[in-house]
Amino acid sequence: MRPARFRRVFARPAWPTWAAFGLGLGLALGQAPWSLWPLALCALAGLIWLVARGDTPGRSARIAWAGGAGHFALALSWIVEPFLVDIRHDGWMAPFALILMAAGLALFWGAAGAFAGWAGRGPRGRALAFVLALSAAELARGYVLTGFPWALPGHVWIGAPQMQLAALTGQYGLTLVTLLIAALPVLLPVGPGRSLGAGLAVAAVAGLGLWGWAREAAPVPAEPDPPQVRLIQPNAAQHLKWRRDMIPVFWERQLAYTAEPGDPPPDLIVWPETAVPFWLENAGDGLGQIARAAGGVPVAAGIQRSDGPLAYNSLAVIGAGGRLLGLYDKHHLVPFGEYIPGASLLGRFGIRGLAANDVYGYAPGPGPRLLDFGARLGQALPLICYEAVFPQDLRGTARPRWILQVTNDAWFGTRTGPYQHLALARLRAVETGLPFLRAANTGVSAVIDGRGRVLASLPLGRAGQITAPLPPALAETPYARTGDAPVLILLCLGLAFFVATRAMK
């Protein structure tokens, strides 16, 4: 590179953009499986400082967008994995998927930066405006275009005591608090002998940690005879799952784990998403085989079904004799995975949903519903795959006794995606105070209590079963009662203040 061109690349305003991209990478390291939240918090503080230095809306937007692009490029790097299952057919799309996903989601951050540059007076004003606008942008990201609230800044606390705050605020309030803590060194005087902001940030992190630790450690009343649930993990790699010679292998494996004796015996057996290799209406004696292996114990199994021209990704509850006891159809589908927007047009070019069996993909079910598993187990809220990412999907019914997720995380690879999906399940448990059980095809299958603690699990990439007691439901949390409304109102008031202040200039 010529010296003059080198100087142009790293001269202002180019260097803050590149620095912001690097800080975004550091922020991503706070997500599972790395969970380096101290590094992530420092990186976030640096990004807020850079955005606050932007003296025009355009510069602040560019810096914020670059930070978001770096963050999503690393945190969502697993997005290439589905395209590598059939690499000859879909592999060419993998780099475009990552680039478009990172760049597209970063637009939310860029919009927040533009607002900060427009509304804020001076660096401190821009920093606070960016905190509020980015929190609002992340909340919008959970709803716009069916939503994708994955890798929020507040998710860096999952697994740490500070995540207990989500019981009060939910994941969007947790993100707002995280951004405010990271912004304190910019909002309050910092310099030689003046470290008030940084000191308060450390104190806030420590205080939240102590409060969260105390909440985790509080005793939970034990049930004298808790119901037992068995989770089946066949470990069917996605490129082998539907191969003719491997279908019997995985089928027999699941039947064998189902039939294993237990002391105490299970009250319910759960197979993961799309675990059954036939469609419900073409089951033949398949449901009977499941029932005989279970010895009369109900089995909840992921299965595909059709109703006329419509196909559904479903969860069926199978009782003695192969009788169908309950049915749930997934309603929050994955765009470009389970269905294709504009399928009639894109289907002509051979573009189809990666996880669907038809160009038009699956049809959405009618919405959230509870499944009744009897007196011992009570009612459960079923979730299929990434429905567990959306806290709003857990609020459409009466309060259940527990939450049940079946998923096929083989689509997410083996490096980061499955661990992030598990982390979000833990956060849903904290937000609701409900035990969360997840049966995952390749892992991680887990029993999670109402404070987000993993009590039993099967590691990624291992076939097996776990039989564990169903943890008790805790008292309904403040967030479960109010949802995102308080955080939304607070953000609207804060943003309105900046707009009004800007109008009075």
Side-chain angles (χ1 to χ4, degrees):
M1 181 180 289
R2 295 178 181 177
R5 184 178 301 176
F6 182 88
R7 286 194 296 270
R8 284 198 302 273
V9 170
F10 289 96
R12 189 184 181 192
W15 80 261
T17 304
W18 287 104
F21 185 87
L23 290 169
L25 295 175
L27 174 58
L29 292 175
Q31 303 290 328
W34 308 289
S35 301
L36 301 175
W37 63 260
L39 174 62
L41 205 61
C42 292
L44 187 57
L47 179 61
I48 294 171
W49 178 78
L50 284 177
V51 172
R53 291 183 72 255
D55 51 6
T56 67
R59 286 176 180 166
S60 293
R62 184 166 57 247
I63 291 168
W65 178 87
H71 171 63
F72 292 119
L74 180 55
L76 301 181
S77 57
W78 57 263
I79 204 71
V80 304
E81 298 289 350
F83 301 94
L84 304 182
V85 172
D86 185 358
I87 194 168
R88 289 184 298 177
H89 183 265
D90 302 318
W92 65 272
M93 292 186 281
F96 297 101
L98 180 58
I99 292 170
L100 291 175
M101 177 68 78
L105 294 180
L107 292 175
F108 286 89
W109 292 38
F115 178 85
W118 172 80
R121 291 183 177 181
R124 295 179 189 173
R126 285 191 289 271
L128 182 57
F130 181 60
V131 165
L132 296 174
L134 183 55
S135 298
E138 291 294 82
L139 194 155
R141 188 160 66 86
Y143 291 86
V144 173
L145 298 177
T146 78
F148 190 63
W150 198 297
L152 273 66
H155 291 167
V156 302
W157 301 114
I158 298 176
Q162 290 85 350
M163 80 167 175
Q164 297 299 319
L165 183 63
L168 307 180
T169 67
Q171 64 178 3
Y172 302 113
L174 188 61
T175 290
L176 173 60
V177 171
T178 303
L179 291 168
L180 284 171
I181 290 173
L184 282 173
V186 181
L187 296 174
L188 298 175
V190 177
R194 298 187 304 164
S195 56
L196 178 60
L200 284 178
V202 172
V205 171
L208 282 176
L210 288 173
W211 176 81
W213 175 82
R215 187 175 189 274
E216 283 184 341
V220 176
E223 297 183 13
D225 182 25
Q228 304 289 318
V229 179
R230 175 172 295 178
L231 307 176
I232 306 297
Q233 184 170 300
N235 193 33
Q238 194 60 42
H239 68 287
L240 301 175
K241 183 178 173 68
W242 301 116
R243 232 173 62 178
R244 288 184 179 273
D245 61 323
M246 294 302 296
I247 287 176
V249 174
F250 299 131
W251 172 251
E252 294 296 335
R253 183 180 293 174
Q254 291 176 116
L255 290 177
Y257 290 141
T258 299
E260 284 186 3
D263 184 19
D267 297 285
L268 175 69
I269 299 168
V270 184
W271 290 21
E273 180 187 13
T274 59
V276 178
F278 47 78
W279 288 59
L280 181 60
E281 60 275 9
N282 300 322
D285 188 44
L287 300 185
Q289 290 184 55
I290 295 174
R292 288 191 292 274
V297 175
V299 176
I303 192 170
Q304 299 175 94
R305 75 177 190 94
S306 64
D307 183 5
L310 302 178
Y312 295 93
N313 186 359
S314 305
L315 179 69
V317 182
I318 304 156
R323 188 162 53 96
L324 189 64
L325 302 179
L327 188 66
Y328 166 72
D329 297 320
K330 183 178 182 181
H331 71 278
H332 205 142
L333 302 177
V334 182
F336 299 99
E338 293 176 310
Y339 76 98
I340 293 289
S344 58
L345 174 62
L346 296 179
R348 299 176 185 177
F349 299 95
I351 298 177
R352 56 185 292 175
L354 292 172
N357 288 284
D358 182 76
V359 169
Y360 294 94
Y362 295 118
R369 58 162 300 191
L370 300 181
L371 292 176
D372 193 340
F373 289 102
R376 273 181 60 76
L377 286 157
Q379 292 184 317
L381 176 68
L383 304 171
I384 298 179
C385 194
Y386 101 142
E387 286 181 323
V389 174
F390 302 93
Q392 63 266 32
D393 285 355
L394 278 64
R395 293 177 47 80
T397 67
R399 190 172 195 245
R401 161 72 173 81
W402 55 293
I403 301 170
L404 172 63
Q405 180 195 24
V406 296
T407 184
N408 178 18
D409 288 3
W411 286 108
F412 298 161
T414 59
R415 291 175 293 177
T416 60
Y419 298 106
Q420 292 174 9
H421 206 196
L422 171 66
L424 293 173
R426 298 179 66 182
L427 192 62
R428 298 291 87 82
V430 174
E431 289 171 340
T432 59
L434 294 173
F436 194 115
L437 275 64
R438 68 189 316 258
N441 169 27
T442 54
V444 177
S445 298
V447 177
I448 304 167
D449 73 1
R451 294 198 175 116
R453 296 173 295 193
V454 178
L455 304 182
S457 66
L458 275 170
L460 189 67
R462 180 184 300 176
Q465 62 90 0
I466 50 175
T467 304
L470 178 66
L474 305 181
E476 189 175 21
T477 63
Y479 176 74
R481 290 193 293 269
T482 63
D484 298 319
V487 174
L488 178 61
I489 293 171
L490 181 62
L491 291 175
C492 287
L493 291 175
L495 294 173
F497 169 79
F498 274 98
V499 172
T501 303
R502 180 69 170 77
M504 290 187 293
K505 284 184 180 180

